[in-house]
């Protein structure tokens, strides 16, 4: 047996256990990219598209498509976890960090409601979308984000279950009091940490 064979085998096994350590409890590894939408895919022209931060702010802040594209973008490699139990590893995205957007909008609010074309909403504590935890992404695997996956842009909050990653997102409403979003009002967990299996309301 050659040394190469042994080290290849060893590397193979080690890589596998590293992968399983990245799959949260109750999840399985998915290689495709399932589409999960509560309604039809909306189509908004980029000319009329904007992104707004409203609510508990002195002045609502608005970015046009061109202004959003001109903001500094980050390149991300993230694992994503859907509450329907699939996990996808090493997905590649490009987008604007919520830190970049929110630093332009002083607020005393503690919660965020993301709102979308089509009416979907999801709620998040403000401090859980700051410090490099959430992005508005426009590119997936080097291509413009496909409409069925939320294009032109979606929210990406990879460390929470994927229902928090609102597709077709059009803005954030900053609120003092937490407000359950679409799935959160239908029994999904208010928080949604995949490592704690916070799937449903009572988890
Ligand atoms: N606007 C909007 N965003 C949404 C949804 C939706 O129905 N509408 N579904 C959520 C759910 S439950 C999941 S699992 C992911 C699915 O994203 P995908 O279709 O790109 O896999 O989007 C989330 N964001
Ligand atoms: Mo989901």
């Amino acid at each position: 047996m050659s040394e190469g064979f042994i080290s290849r085998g060893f590397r193979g096994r080690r890589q596998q256990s590293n992968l399983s350590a990245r799959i949260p409890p109750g999840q399985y590894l998915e290689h495709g990219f399932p589409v999960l939408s509560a309604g039809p895919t909306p189509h908004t022209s980029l000319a009329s598209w904007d992104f707004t931060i409203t609510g508990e702010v002195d002045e609502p802040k608005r970015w046009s498509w061109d202004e959003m594209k001109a903001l500094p973008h980050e390149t991300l490699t993230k694992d994503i976890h859907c509450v329907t139990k699939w996990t996808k590893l090493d997905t590649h995205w490009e987008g604007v960090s919520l830190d970049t957007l929110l630093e332009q909008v002083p607020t005393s609010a503690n919660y965020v409601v993301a709102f979308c074309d089509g009416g979907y909403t999801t709620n998040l504590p403000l401090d859980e979308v700051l410090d490099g935890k959430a992005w508005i992404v426009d590119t997936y695997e080097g291509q413009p984000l496909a409409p069925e996956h939320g294009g032109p842009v979606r929210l990406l909050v990879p460390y929470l279950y994927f229902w928090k990653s609102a597709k077709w997102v059009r803005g954030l409403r900053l609120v003092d009091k937490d407000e359950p979003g679409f799935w959160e009002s239908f029994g999904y967990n208010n928080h949604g940490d995949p490592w704690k299996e916070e799937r449903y309301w009572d988890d």
Side-chain angles (χ1 to χ4, degrees):
M1 221 189 313
S2 78
E3 213 180 293
F5 178 85
I6 294 170
S7 57
R8 254 200 314 282
F10 179 67
R11 201 161 48 235
R13 246 191 330 274
R14 194 171 52 193
Q15 221 160 47
Q16 218 167 32
S17 64
N18 284 349
L19 289 188
S20 46
R22 287 166 60 190
I23 300 174
Q27 298 289 108
Y28 69 87
L29 187 58
E30 168 69 51
H31 294 285
F33 195 177
V35 171
L36 288 114
S37 303
T41 296
H43 293 278
T44 304
S45 79
L46 296 182
S48 60
W49 186 93
D50 62 8
F51 190 90
T52 317
I53 298 184
T54 62
E56 292 299 314
V57 294
D58 291 341
E59 281 232 25
K61 172 91 190 163
R62 174 186 172 274
W63 293 266
S64 68
W65 178 254
D66 290 339
E67 288 165 341
M68 185 63 103
K69 289 302 268 190
L71 291 173
H73 279 54
E74 294 174 20
T75 300
L76 314 159
T77 301
K78 297 290 175 189
D79 300 343
I80 55 178
H81 314 287
C82 176
V83 74
T84 62
K85 302 204 165 173
W86 54 265
T87 282
K88 201 168 162 51
L89 301 179
D90 293 324
T91 59
H92 300 106
W93 309 85
E94 290 168 39
V96 178
S97 137
L98 287 205
D99 296 294
T100 301
L101 300 176
L102 285 162
E103 78 187 6
Q104 300 193 31
V105 191
T107 182
S108 59
N110 289 314
Y111 298 93
V112 173
V113 178
F115 57 90
C116 306
D117 281 327
Y120 187 86
T121 55
T122 191
N123 58 314
L124 298 139
L126 184 61
D127 63 4
E128 295 198 26
V129 296
L130 294 174
D131 298 323
K133 297 195 205 80
W135 296 264
I136 302 296
V137 292
D138 55 34
T139 303
Y140 173 70
E141 301 299 344
Q143 301 293 324
L145 181 62
E148 65 270 26
H149 287 298
V153 303
R154 78 183 298 163
L155 183 61
L156 179 69
V157 195
Y159 86 107
L160 296 174
Y161 281 124
F162 211 36
W163 85 77
K164 297 283 184 182
S165 292
K167 305 197 278 190
W168 317 298
V169 67
R170 288 292 299 275
L172 306 176
R173 195 156 48 81
L174 298 172
V175 291
D176 290 330
K177 210 172 140 290
D178 196 15
E179 286 175 27
F182 178 82
W183 280 121
E184 293 84 0
S185 340
F186 283 108
Y188 279 19
N189 192 271
N190 198 50
H191 184 224
D193 182 341
W195 293 97
K196 297 183 181 154
E197 282 210 81
E198 293 171 338
R199 297 176 190 275
Y200 305 108
W201 196 258
D202 290 331
D203 288 344

